[in-house]
């Protein structure tokens, strides 16, 4: 069955019909999904009643899985899923909603800041695939911002200033913004900053994007407060409503986004309600700092 895409966001994001994730994909379907991702950056697939295994198989048909190892405050024996999944639910290993002051929950609230997945890793993520198993009675949208349109809309002077800048990203920087600072020595070592270019060229389209994320905390060679303001102004610019698509979840939705040309954030919902969202992630091609200067 052909893949039909219908744009749903102002300037990006589309819905896809005719894909059944419970079975294998044809080569044509795989190619159509990649082409759709290059073009729309966010794809929404409704009514996918899939198991973890089917989500993994679907993800693997598109590329290599990125493992979520040591990226949350969950200890290895507190994982609900194998590391082929990033657990973005608010549930503990016994499937109970975290207490409001649970440290793992408070750390995970960082997902409500605008970010790009794994920008705190030397090789950051390519696509993320988030599947809704249970959703709260209200709130809990996920918002996406289109970093390619945001880049295009910058004035020439800002484009030139940003062009060759290198930022340092760490989960410590994002959590600092929330007043979450009580990291152990082991966590500090694990969350050591990594370098990312501020302007990325997308390999599929050759188009430039702002590579922003709340994990970005410094710009090499810049005083920290000045770097923070420059980044803050860029985030403010890039998340204006004309660059944003807000997804309201239904159980069975799978939303796939390209972390190389979008940012996203979770929105609040009642703290005592379960929200079971399961993410698989495709590994990126290489470090962004290796990208040849355009
Ligand atoms: C993620 C993420 C946002 C949400 O899965 O990477 O940031 O709405 N999720 O759960
Ligand atoms: Mn995320």
């Amino acid at each position: 069955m052909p893949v039909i895409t219908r744009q749903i966001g102002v300037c990006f994001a589309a819905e896809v019909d005719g894909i059944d994730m419970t079975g294998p994909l044809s080569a044509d379907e795989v190619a159509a999904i990649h082409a759709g991702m290059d073009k729309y950056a966010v794809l929404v697939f409704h009514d996918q009643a899939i198991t973890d295994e089917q989500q993994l198989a679907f993800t693997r048909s598109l590329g290599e899985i990125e493992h979520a190892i040591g990226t949350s405050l969950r200890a290895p024996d507190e994982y609900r899923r194998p590391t082929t999944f990033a657990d973005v639910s608010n549930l503990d290993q016994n499937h109970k909603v975290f207490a409001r002051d649970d440290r793992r929950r408070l750390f995970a609230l960082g997902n409500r800041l605008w970010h790009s997945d794994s920008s705190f890793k030397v090789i950051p993520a390519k696509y993320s695939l988030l599947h809704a198993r249970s959703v709260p009675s209200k709130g809990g949208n996920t918002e996406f911002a289109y970093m390619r349109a945001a880049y295009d809309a910058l004035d020439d002077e800002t484009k030139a200033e940003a062009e060759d800048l290198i930022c340092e990203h760490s989960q410590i920087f994002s959590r600092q913004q929330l007043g979450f600072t009580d990291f152990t020595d082991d966590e500090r070592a694990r969350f050591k900053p990594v370098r990312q270019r501020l302007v990325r060229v997308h390999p599929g389209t050759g188009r430039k994007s702002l590579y922003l994320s709340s994990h970005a905390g410094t710009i090499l060679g810049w005083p920290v407060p000045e770097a923070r303001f420059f980044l803050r102004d860029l985030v403010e610019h890039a998340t204006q409503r004309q660059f944003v698509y807000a997804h309201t979840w239904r159980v069975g939705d799978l939303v796939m986004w390209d972390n190389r040309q979008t940012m996203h954030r979770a929105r609040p919902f009642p703290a005592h309600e379960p929200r079971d969202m399961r993410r698989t992630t495709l590994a990126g091609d290489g470090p962004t700092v290796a990208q040849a200067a355009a």
Side-chain angles (χ1 to χ4, degrees), residues 88 111 113 115-118 128 215 257 259 264-266 279:
V88 293
N111 276 342
L113 297 168
H115 66 282
S116 177
D117 286 335
S118 305
S128 294
H215 306 306
W257 62 88
N259 287 293
H264 60 280
R265 65 172 178 178
R279 195 184 92 205

